[in-house]
Amino acid sequence: VLPFPSQVVYNRVGKCGSRTVVLLLRILSEKHGFNLVTSDIHNKTRLTKNEQMELIKNISTAEQPYLFTRHVHFLNFSRFGGDQPVYINIIRDPVNRFLSNYFFRRFGDWRGEQNHMIRTPNMRQEERYLDINVCILENYPECSNPRLFYIIPYFCGQHPRCREPGEWALERAKLNVNENFLLVGILEELEDVLLLLERFLPHYFKDVLSIYKNPEHRKLGNLTVTVKKTVPSPEAIQILYQRMRYEYEFYFYVKEQFHLLKRKFGLKSHNRKPSPRPEFFIPSPLETEEPINDEEEDDEKWLEDIYKR
């Protein structure tokens, strides 16, 4: 009898810790014997109807239990007659995600494989060394909408309106998080994300935290840190924040839901060391308080209800 759920999709958002998680999944798939299905396509998140049908068919026919991972906007399997899998994902502070991507495209990471030259071989030198403040303050396309509207489409889906910054895409993304995602975590609290994944999907993520904390794995993970990052001016950060207001509304919504979930399972946000990054003058959303004991609802029943959704 296959463990349930036996179909999991991690439609990973770019520059939100996904390479770290994929490293863990490769270890876990060998350890626990599930089928890790990955994709070599990294730059095609929006698909035509035929491409959606083909990808869903390929995923659905994979040997179960499987975990499929790719940078791709949310796919509605049921629309094409397939069984809707369980979705998981991780997001992060939108400005931090943007900055990580901006410098990664130009200078890569500590793996020393010159992958920034592989990913952006045609980037002109003046573009590669374009000052981040100039890009933002002078309204270059890379630092403006719709390029900045990045996280929400991963949850909104393949509809053309999902790529238009606005309330429609935001609300549809929230709806999909509630109805189709077992867990959407926050990269800034990755250890708690892994704890919950181990609780919800033990046949995929059992022992994930001990593997993550292993010094050898940490050494590998550190190689994926983007190099040559600089911090924009406060004025530029404020402009970015205004341009990404829908992204932040979604981020705060997901973070609040994640904190409520942590409270439900007895986890609380501890006072962490101050972050080396500036806080970007962004108001803080709901913070997790003391864990609550809800005696009226059984946690295992709650999980079963989520699996049935």
Side-chain angles (χ1 to χ4, degrees):
V1 178
L2 290 175
F4 188 80
S6 58
Q7 303 170 82
V8 178
V9 172
Y10 172 31
N11 64 320
R12 49 196 180 117
V13 181
K15 304 311 296 174
C16 289
S18 61
R19 284 178 296 155
T20 297
V21 177
V22 169
L23 281 174
L24 289 167
L25 285 170
R26 286 176 181 153
I27 297 169
L28 291 166
S29 65
E30 293 184 8
K31 184 179 177 67
H32 301 316
F34 63 85
N35 182 18
L36 178 63
V37 184
T38 60
S39 174
D40 294 328
I41 301 172
H42 301 290
N43 58 357
K44 191 171 179 58
T45 56
R46 308 163 183 174
L47 309 178
T48 66
K49 183 177 179 181
N50 286 337
E51 287 171 338
Q52 291 179 58
M53 292 173 66
E54 186 66 23
L55 181 57
I56 287 172
K57 178 183 175 182
N58 290 340
I59 297 172
S60 299
T61 55
E63 182 183 352
Q64 298 184 25
Y66 69 74
L67 190 151
F68 174 80
T69 179
R70 172 179 162 176
H71 294 299
V72 64
H73 295 167
F74 175 79
L75 292 162
N76 190 337
F77 282 59
S78 57
R79 179 188 174 200
F80 299 102
D83 294 329
Q84 191 71 5
V86 163
Y87 271 85
I88 59 173
N89 217 322
I90 300 171
I91 64 173
R92 73 191 287 192
D93 179 293
V95 165
N96 278 345
R97 195 221 66 83
F98 165 75
L99 294 176
S100 182
N101 185 64
Y102 184 90
F103 292 104
F104 176 72
R105 290 183 67 243
R106 286 161 170 77
F107 308 115
D109 54 33
W110 288 109
R111 287 179 292 180
E113 61 184 32
Q114 297 295 307
N115 63 347
H116 58 296
M117 301 297 275
I118 295 170
R119 288 176 184 273
T120 55
N122 299 320
M123 184 180 283
R124 301 188 309 275
Q125 285 297 92
E126 58 266 32
E127 184 183 356
R128 193 174 300 280
Y129 291 95
L130 175 65
D131 183 88
I132 183 69
N133 290 302
V134 172
C135 184
I136 297 166
L137 298 175
E138 296 189 12
N139 210 22
Y140 278 66
E142 186 176 358
C143 299
S144 308
N145 277 317
R147 298 276 188 90
L148 296 178
F149 194 69
Y150 183 86
I151 297 173
I152 286 174
Y154 275 88
F155 299 87
C156 179
Q158 298 289 335
H159 193 286
R161 290 187 68 183
C162 288
R163 304 191 284 275
E164 300 172 5
E167 291 289 337
W168 189 91
L170 170 64
E171 292 306 316
R172 183 159 174 159
K174 288 180 181 178
L175 184 66
N176 274 334
V177 166
N178 293 335
E179 293 186 350
N180 292 295
F181 282 80
L182 176 64
L183 178 69
V184 182
I186 300 297
L187 182 61
E188 293 86 353
E189 302 172 30
L190 181 57
E191 289 193 9
D192 288 342
V193 177
L194 298 178
L195 273 172
L196 288 178
L197 283 171
E198 183 170 0
R199 175 69 185 269
F200 296 168
L201 299 168
H203 41 288
Y204 294 94
F205 288 96
K206 183 175 170 56
D207 300 323
V208 64
L209 200 56
S210 61
I211 296 169
Y212 173 71
K213 289 183 174 182
N214 183 290
E216 288 302 311
H217 182 270
R218 282 295 178 97
K219 195 183 298 181
L220 280 175
N222 288 338
L223 294 177
T224 66
V225 175
T226 302
V227 300
K228 295 190 179 181
K229 275 199 290 190
T230 59
V231 178
S233 68
E235 180 188 2
I237 290 294
Q238 283 298 319
I239 290 172
L240 272 185
Y241 180 48
Q242 289 302 317
R243 290 175 184 170
M244 303 173 83
R245 62 188 181 277
Y246 292 112
E247 293 275 275
Y248 269 101
E249 186 171 341
F250 181 72
Y251 172 73
F252 289 159
Y253 174 80
V254 167
K255 189 172 185 178
E256 180 177 346
Q257 297 302 308
F258 180 63
H259 281 177
L260 289 171
L261 199 57
K262 283 171 58 175
R263 288 174 57 185
K264 185 171 188 63
F265 284 90
L267 298 174
K268 63 180 179 179
S269 295
H270 302 285
N271 293 324
R272 291 172 170 79
K273 295 178 182 178
S275 172
R277 67 175 177 84
E279 289 302 315
F280 299 148
F281 315 102
I282 296 166
S284 296
L286 174 74
E287 293 296 331
T288 303
E289 300 172 357
E290 292 293 320
I292 55 175
N293 295 316
D294 189 351
E295 297 178 357
E296 297 180 2
E297 184 173 4
D298 179 63
D299 287 343
E300 297 303 329
K301 182 180 183 304
W302 179 85
L303 267 182
E304 287 177 12
D305 290 341
I306 279 192
Y307 288 150
K308 291 174 183 174
R309 287 200 304 213

